[in-house]
Structure formats: structure tokens, C-alpha cells
Amino acid sequence: MIILGIDPGIASTGYGVIKVSGGDLLSLVDYGVIKTSPGENQGLRLKHIYDRVNGIINGHRPDAVAIETIFHSKNLKSLAMVSEAIGVISLAAGNYGLNIQKFTPLEIKSAITRSGKATKGQIQEMVKTILNLDSLPRPDHASDALAIAICYRTNVLFSQIENR
């Protein structure tokens, strides 16, 4: 199983692709950041994100997509822009008929570290450990995207155990 995790944003969207093999062995496939220019019009920025996500999906052929969702924000303009990014990411994944699941930051932190109060550094360390990496994945948005993909796998695994 290949899972694409996405940390959405309008200026910087992180993505992380992991592979699940042998039941529970997780390995890194790819990760990075999709950047857009603040000087560009909003529609072009969203199109750039959409096009890049399409390319990532086409290149890696994931079985599922996990996206971090936001449940509150003090800045309504930022909330709207991130929501639009989530929309175009969901559209891209939907065009491929992929299973899409969305997770809150609390769900992601809990799945990775077993603590909803984990720091970004703690999450990066766990991602490094879980994926058996030599160094911390950088930048933060890419590391977060890997954590989101791992969260998806953790939730699928727990669902399978609960359904037995």
C-alpha cells in the first residue's frame, strides 16, 4: 500500500509518500514541498497546487490520500485560503478515485506520539524513527505530511484490529 500525506497550505503545501509492506513495515518513498508565490493571483496558486498534486499522484500511484484538516483558526482569511487548498487537493485525489481521509492536528499528534500535546520536534523525531531515516525530514511541512501519511496507516491498522 502506498499512502500520500498532505499538509495543505497556500504558500507551502507539504507532501509525503510512504509505502507499507510486509504488513507493518513503513518506508519512505518521497517527500517535499509545493511552493507558490505570494505575488501570484489566488486562482493561479491553487492551480499550481492542483497540478503538482496531480503529478505526485500520477508519479507514485498511491492507494490513499491523507490530508490534515483545520478545525479552527484565528485568522479567517488564512482559514479560507487553506480550505481552498484542501478543496483542490481533494479534487485532484478524487479524480483518481482515491480514498481520502482527513485528520485534525490532534489526531495526527496522537497517532504519531500517543500525545495530543506533542511538539513539532517530537513529531519529527517519531517520523524519523518510524521510517528509519538517518536524519530529520525537512522542511517542517514535508515532515508534517509524512506524519499525516503515518497517521492514516495507524488508523487503518486500528480499524482492522477493531473489526476482528
Side-chain angles (χ1 to χ4, degrees):
M1 170 186 262
I2 296 175
I3 304 164
L4 169 60
I6 300 185
D7 179 23
I10 192 66
S12 185
T13 293
Y15 67 90
V17 183
I18 63 170
K19 181 176 183 178
V20 182
S21 55
D24 292 333
L25 181 62
L26 302 182
S27 59
L28 175 67
V29 175
D30 188 19
Y31 69 98
V33 174
I34 301 165
K35 291 191 178 279
T36 67
S37 172
E40 271 187 315
N41 126 343
Q42 178 77 354
L44 290 176
R45 293 174 89 180
L46 291 169
K47 182 180 181 332
H48 180 71
I49 293 167
Y50 175 82
D51 289 344
R52 286 287 314 277
V53 170
N54 267 313
I56 294 163
I57 291 171
N58 193 40
H60 294 295
R61 302 285 184 198
D63 300 294
V65 177
I67 305 170
E68 183 178 50
T69 190
I70 46 180
F71 56 91
H72 69 52
S73 176
K74 294 176 184 168
N75 182 338
L76 290 179
K77 183 178 179 184
S78 175
L79 177 68
M81 292 196 317
V82 172
S83 294
E84 289 174 350
I86 291 170
V88 299
I89 292 162
S90 297
L91 176 62
N95 283 338
Y96 286 85
L98 295 172
N99 178 28
I100 303 166
Q101 286 197 9
K102 295 177 182 158
F103 299 98
T104 65
L106 179 63
E107 290 172 316
I108 297 161
K109 288 177 182 182
S110 296
I112 301 300
T113 66
R114 304 293 181 238
S115 170
K117 296 182 183 204
T119 65
K120 195 165 283 289
Q122 290 170 319
I123 292 169
Q124 287 175 322
E125 283 292 339
M126 284 304 296
V127 167
K128 176 185 168 197
T129 300
I130 291 167
L131 296 177
N132 196 27
L133 304 176
D134 292 332
S135 60
L136 294 177
R138 301 261 188 225
D140 289 350
H141 291 293
S143 177
D144 291 347
L146 290 169
I148 295 161
I150 295 166
C151 175
Y152 177 93
R153 177 59 187 138
T154 301
N155 279 294
V156 167
L157 185 61
F158 285 141
S159 293
Q160 290 170 346
I161 291 169
E162 288 175 354
N163 290 331
R164 288 184 183 168

